Amino acid sequence: MLTTRTRRGAILVSVLALGIGSALAAPPASAAGPYDDKVVISSGHDDVLYPTPTEDGGALLQLHDDTSSPHAYRAPEDVVFHVKPSVAQRTANAYIAQIPGFVTAGDTVYVLPQTSVPGTIFAGFGHGFPSGTSVTHTVTAIEAPGNFATWQSGEDGPSVNWNTAAGLPTSFSSFANHEHLSWGFAAEGEYMLDVETVVTTNGQQLPATGATYTFWVGEELPQNAPDPDPEPEPDPTTTLSISGRPPTRSPSSSPSRAGIRRGPRSGWPTA
């Protein structure tokens, strides 16, 4: 607040709430997103499906993340896989179109390939059990903007692991300790998959384990909707007052002469 005073008869000028607030305002906070509390994986090697033994003799479905140093085992719910169209988008060819109902030749499709490609996720699967262990992975539910499929390339066409276009549940089994496959998405947006995994090791089938996986297909991660605009601040005000003059009485506050009865002056004769 800036205040200037002068002598008798001068004007007292008080400038309140001078319009400098914009210069002192804090910078806006960065936009928040729905994945701010997750680990985002957008490139590098990762075993997406990776059950490991538990201390009580069971199995726990995790993911084996080689994109960090040292590598880490993570709960799938703590991770989002970011599939960027700039490296994953392609036009479906006749080979991919052999996957029943997934896409047709000429459609746009987004693929994490079976082989390592710089700038994208090299996604595979495996397990932490002894060799000879059989693992079955089943997609039991999905929320997605389009079809989803995984496959391995073969001379006679794609060997399909999962294909949601064929209906749910969709499952595959493998004895492999570690393998890779292609992951295909038919549209941009969020894919949330509920996966159930059953491990059979040393002739014993262990209780099922499961998790929810999230994939985001889009060049940029989504942001939350902005908060509503706050109520506008009142305009800055300027207050002026006159210093050194007696207060002026408003005419409406003066007593009315009609209401005053005067008595005789002292020393005057009376009639």
Side-chain angles (χ1 to χ4, degrees), residues 90-267:
R90 62 193 63 188
T91 300
N93 55 21
Y95 186 89
I96 295 177
Q98 294 181 63
I99 302 172
F102 175 48
V103 291
T104 58
D107 288 349
T108 297
V109 66
Y110 308 91
V111 178
L112 300 178
Q114 183 175 338
T115 55
S116 179
V117 173
T120 192
I121 305 169
F122 186 30
F125 65 90
H127 63 76
F129 290 86
S131 296
T133 294
S134 171
V135 181
T136 300
H137 299 288
T138 303
V139 176
T140 59
I142 185 172
E143 293 182 16
N147 293 326
F148 165 72
T150 62
W151 65 93
Q152 291 176 310
S153 298
E155 293 182 359
D156 298 327
S159 175
V160 179
N161 302 89
W162 286 334
N163 181 17
T164 62
L168 296 179
T170 177
S171 64
F172 74 94
S173 299
S174 176
F175 286 93
N177 291 79
H178 179 236
E179 283 194 36
H180 282 269
L181 65 168
S182 295
W183 305 66
F185 309 84
E188 293 192 41
E190 182 183 71
Y191 293 71
M192 295 186 67
L193 289 68
D194 290 345
V195 178
E196 182 182 87
T197 296
V198 175
V199 174
T200 301
T201 185
N202 296 323
Q204 180 183 2
Q205 179 175 302
L206 306 182
T209 178
T212 299
Y213 290 83
T214 300
F215 294 81
W216 174 259
V217 182
E219 199 61 33
E220 303 295 336
L221 292 175
Q223 302 296 327
N224 292 332
D227 294 331
D229 291 335
E231 292 295 328
E233 295 291 335
D235 293 334
T237 59
T238 300
T239 302
L240 302 178
S241 63
I242 304 300
S243 172
R245 295 189 180 182
T248 302
R249 177 176 293 176
S250 170
S252 61
S253 64
S254 301
S256 173
R257 289 182 177 273
I260 299 177
R261 183 176 180 179
R262 296 185 181 276
R265 291 191 179 182
S266 174

Side-chain angles (χ1 to χ4, degrees), residues 45 65-74:
H45 179 267
D65 181 10
D66 272 336
T67 66
S68 63
S69 181
H71 67 86
Y73 294 94
R74 304 188 191 278

